[in-house]
């Protein structure tokens, strides 16, 4: 799954950054990651995404939705987490999950709708 995402990005000449997720990730870490992706136009591949706690995943849904809204509105600048940042419309996020394992969370519905 991760390698397929990386191969697709390579074929399209888009930088793919892989982040191995854990239950130690918080909404600030995710905001920093999304901010960097939005400003560079890179793709983020979040491996084992469902290891992140459900509380953080709920916030992540809002963060990613704001990026998608900026793309839909064709904005070059947009407000993300109270900061005005640039937005390159090639930005993307991909997730991989192994749902049946211990310590994995169910994705919130608002987040499922985005992926």
């Amino acid at each position: 799954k991760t390698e397929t995402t990386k191969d697709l990005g390579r074929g399209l000449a888009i930088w793919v950054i892989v982040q191995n997720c854990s239950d130690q990730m918080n909404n600030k870490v995710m905001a920093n990651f999304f901010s960097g992706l939005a400003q560079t136009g890179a793709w983020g591949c979040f491996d084992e995404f469902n290891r992140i706690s459900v509380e953080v995943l709920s916030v992540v849904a809002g963060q990613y939705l704001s990026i998608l809204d900026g793309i839909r509105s064709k904005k070059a600048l947009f407000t993300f987490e109270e900061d005005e940042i640039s937005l390159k419309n090639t930005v993307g996020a991909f997730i991989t999950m192994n749902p049946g394992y211990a310590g994995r969370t169910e994705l919130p519905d608002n987040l499922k709708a985005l992926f």
Side-chain angles (χ1 to χ4, degrees):
K1 300 169 282 203
T2 301
E3 291 304 317
T4 301
T5 302
K6 289 168 53 179
D7 289 344
L8 179 60
R10 188 176 303 116
L12 296 171
I14 295 176
W15 185 24
V16 179
I17 303 164
V18 177
Q19 173 65 48
N20 295 311
C21 299
S22 75
D23 59 356
Q24 301 299 307
M25 296 179 76
N26 60 38
N27 58 331
K28 183 64 175 164
V29 169
M30 294 301 293
N32 287 337
F33 208 97
F34 281 129
S35 175
L37 293 176
Q39 292 176 78
T40 62
W43 287 357
C45 182
F46 298 93
D47 199 26
E48 297 288 336
F49 192 64
N50 57 334
R51 284 186 179 177
I52 301 171
S53 72
V54 69
E55 297 83 13
V56 174
L57 290 175
S58 291
V59 175
V60 165
Q63 292 171 339
Y64 192 52
L65 181 60
S66 71
I67 291 172
L68 294 176
D69 288 343
I71 293 170
R72 283 186 203 108
S73 301
K74 300 181 191 257
K75 293 185 177 180
L77 293 172
F78 79 114
T79 302
F80 182 77
E81 298 284 301
E82 300 180 9
D83 292 321
E84 190 83 7
I85 64 171
S86 62
L87 176 63
K88 297 206 177 201
N89 66 358
T90 57
V91 63
F94 299 82
I95 61 174
T96 69
M97 302 186 312
N98 290 314
Y101 292 82
R104 305 306 197 268
T105 57
E106 180 72 22
L107 293 184
D109 288 338
N110 62 341
L111 190 57
K112 281 182 190 177
L114 302 177
F115 288 97

